[in-house]
Amino acid sequence: MSLAARNAMKWCSVCKAQTELMQQPELAQQYQETFAYYPEKWISAFIDRRRENGWGLYGLLNIQKGEKEKMARQQLRNFQLFDAPVGLYFTINKAMGIGSKMDIAMMIQNVMIAAKARGLDTCPQAAWNHFHPIVLDVLNAPEDEELVCTLALGYADPDDIVNTFITPRIMVDEFTVFMDQ
């Protein structure tokens, strides 16, 4: 079996793990992120904007509250890289601090900008972080590494309805203070 075929089978194990997790939420203990990507407790207005974006996208996809099967199918799209032909997996040594995560985040943004400049589209994904043991195994990463982010890379399909969704944004002056000298 070729390396590509073996890796494809391993990636399928991420989809399988996600499917099992949706059916058996108690399995979540097996799939813990190595660092807290999201806050332990959401507060307003952040949770409000998160919900607005989530339900806006789901509304566009005709997924209603409580339609767990449709939600699960949409969530699985993460682990299919939304059909992108390339997945980039960014890892960092566990010994590094929060500053290094900020550094790698800036590097990821530069990759995204460089891709866009070349006509490619990207989608950063934290969804993979729960399945870091599977991902790191496929990558043959050392045990002292942790997954920071996955980035889907390819050409967005402009005809796919999901790509018509524009996330609502608040005005810059609502979260920024400009100071004159």
Side-chain angles (χ1 to χ4, degrees):
M1 182 182 293
S2 72
L3 178 61
R6 281 197 308 272
N7 286 342
M9 287 176 56
K10 287 182 181 179
W11 290 132
C12 288
S13 62
V14 173
C15 290
K16 182 177 183 267
Q18 175 63 29
T19 300
E20 289 172 352
L21 186 58
M22 294 298 283
Q23 295 168 351
Q24 302 171 58
E26 65 276 8
L27 293 177
Q29 294 302 319
Q30 293 179 17
Y31 302 110
Q32 296 293 311
E33 298 170 313
T34 57
F35 64 94
Y37 186 89
Y38 293 109
E40 285 184 34
K41 182 177 171 140
W42 286 90
I43 60 172
S44 194
F46 304 107
I47 189 63
D48 302 332
R49 289 198 297 267
R50 179 177 168 87
R51 287 179 178 144
E52 179 183 14
N53 280 300
W55 288 117
L57 176 62
Y58 275 17
L60 189 65
L61 297 172
N62 198 27
I63 300 173
Q64 305 305 315
K65 191 171 188 170
E67 292 184 311
K68 293 182 180 186
E69 203 170 297
K70 284 184 178 181
M71 290 176 182
R73 273 197 310 273
Q74 179 59 30
Q75 195 166 24
L76 276 175
R77 300 281 297 130
N78 283 284
F79 308 110
Q80 298 159 349
L81 296 167
F82 301 105
D83 299 327
V86 175
L88 303 173
Y89 300 84
F90 295 89
T91 68
I92 194 166
N93 189 288
K94 291 177 185 177
M96 302 308 292
I98 191 71
S100 294
K101 286 186 177 72
M102 292 170 61
D103 293 340
I104 199 169
M106 289 183 276
M107 185 201 57
I108 292 166
Q109 182 178 28
N110 286 334
V111 169
M112 294 170 69
I113 292 169
K116 195 62 171 171
R118 288 159 178 81
L120 293 162
D121 298 292
T122 57
C123 180
Q125 298 173 262
W128 290 80
N129 291 9
H130 291 285
F131 302 107
H132 62 92
I134 299 169
V135 173
L136 296 175
D137 179 55
V138 171
L139 298 176
N140 293 317
E143 288 188 24
D144 59 354
E145 289 289 302
E146 66 182 344
L147 181 62
V148 175
C149 179
T150 299
L151 188 68
L153 175 70
Y155 298 100
D157 177 358
D159 297 325
D160 189 330
I161 192 165
V162 75
N163 292 323
T164 67
F165 183 64
I166 306 295
T167 56
R169 304 287 179 173
I170 61 173
M171 300 301 294
V172 172
D173 62 359
E174 291 185 50
F175 63 88
T176 307
V177 174
F178 295 98
M179 300 177 75
D180 284 335
Q181 294 184 3

